[in-house]
Amino acid sequence: MMCSGVYGMVAGGRPNAISGGHNAFAGIVNPANAVWIKDRFDIGMFLVHQKLTLNNKNNNPLFNPGKINLTYRTEYLFTGDAAIHKRGKIKGYECSFSLAAYTTPAYIKLRTKKPLPLVGETPIHLTDKTQVISSIFSLKVDENHSIGISLDYFYLSHLRDGFQNSDNPQRSVSPGHVTNKGKDHSHGLGLTLGWRWNITKSLTFGLAFIKKAYVGQYRKYRGFEPHHARNYIPETIGCGFTYLFTEKVAGRLEMLWTHSGNLPNSNNTLLPNGKLNTSKRGSNKSPGNGMQDATFISLGLGYKVNDMLALGAGYSHRIRLSRKSPYIISRTYILQTIYDVATIGINYNYRSHDFFLTLSHGFENHQSGYMPEQLGGGKFTSKKSYNSLSLSWGYLY
């Protein structure tokens, strides 16, 4: 039930959008935005408090009784990032180069205090982390249009402990490469393209596209993850508008679609006929977490108090897709998903220094369902909550 989630499109907590940017990380979201940013470098930190519980309401004997804490000693996640940005000219055209290192928001760390009898003999410990180095080039075609390209190096880390019950020839295509093998890594290159159009002095449109990319294999865990633990970055498309209502007030509306439904982990625990997926772990038909395509809609509003201080607020909603099953093990990615996030932020600049503080609250995701009789039956409920704090400092040189 513990599987990796969708890869994020932006560096954690950075105050940038598809239709506009504010700092050296602007090209991560849309490479075409970078050329409009002044020379600067930025560093930041991102702190997350998460909580995920599973409640065994009817004391199914294959699970621990009562409430199971799936974030035991892993409630807090911390990441850091950095970026540098420089403008220039090529044959009279304004351009820019940026280099950014960051961790995607799809950082997962889960752990139980005790083993789950259904899956293994030691406590579950699962980590999925994707770190990225992006090299970004942006070109201003004219005063109203810019284009950009980002070459992205992805470095993925994975750890899986506590799944001994699948580590045998009857349940895995590669016994000995299932669980408790230590941290494994894979890597590969990806590509992001972007376009920005300043329609008027007040209205801006942005478009970004991430190409699906193969980023290596977790060889230590090729006997558990679907498709022999091959990893991919999903195809992603984002677009949006920013509108300047007055000199002090701006708003944005954006949409992001990620084609997660064609990744190996889109394999579900249940078959379309409702029966358990009993294919061997690690095979092309191996059970996954049932990932589906994701669509996000985001709204934002900013207010410039004066030349030094600005305030902002935003709201992001992920469209809910049905599990289409009464069983809670169907499409288990839903248990780990936050569908609605509210954000407030403050930007303060003094001379060449630029500070951002952002607070985000993920509204609790509550799920309920039943366990198939083959897995002990009974009712289960789950709760996922999320809050984050982002701090960053930029220097204009």
Side-chain angles (χ1 to χ4, degrees), residues 221-271:
Y221 296 100
R222 63 183 185 270
F224 190 92
E225 308 295 340
H227 290 244
H228 308 279
R230 293 186 178 94
N231 296 307
Y232 296 86
I233 301 301
E235 179 184 34
T236 301
I237 301 174
C239 64
F241 294 89
T242 293
Y243 185 73
L244 189 63
F245 294 99
T246 70
E247 291 184 356
K248 290 182 174 290
V249 180
R252 65 175 171 85
L253 171 64
E254 299 192 333
M255 184 178 75
L256 182 71
W257 175 79
T258 300
H259 196 13
S260 308
N262 75 338
L263 299 182
N265 250 323
S266 63
N267 291 358
N268 198 8
T269 310
L270 299 180
L271 299 173

Side-chain angles (χ1 to χ4, degrees), residues 257-262 290-295 318-319 321 333:
W257 175 79
T258 300
H259 196 13
S260 308
N262 75 338
M291 288 294 299
Q292 297 169 293
D293 294 348
T295 302
R318 175 173 175 166
I319 295 176
L321 298 178
Y333 83 91

Side-chain angles (χ1 to χ4, degrees), residues 158 174 176-185 217-224 229:
H158 180 73
S174 298
H177 299 88
V178 172
T179 188
N180 294 67
K181 302 294 291 183
K183 190 168 287 189
D184 201 2
H185 305 279
Q217 178 191 27
Y218 294 136
R219 294 190 60 81
K220 291 182 180 180
Y221 296 100
R222 63 183 185 270
F224 190 92

Side-chain angles (χ1 to χ4, degrees), residues 112-142:
T112 62
K113 185 177 182 180
K114 299 178 180 179
L116 291 187
L118 177 68
V119 297
E121 303 165 356
T122 60
I124 285 177
H125 189 186
L126 175 68
T127 300
D128 271 304
K129 187 176 183 180
T130 302
Q131 296 167 287
V132 191
I133 298 176
S134 294
S135 179
I136 303 155
F137 173 74
S138 183
L139 178 70
K140 188 182 292 186
V141 179
D142 55 37

Side-chain angles (χ1 to χ4, degrees), residues 54 75 95 155 193 208 210 246 285 299:
L54 185 68
E75 290 188 1
C95 64
Y155 185 76
L193 302 175
I210 297 176
T246 70
K285 295 182 179 180
L299 300 169

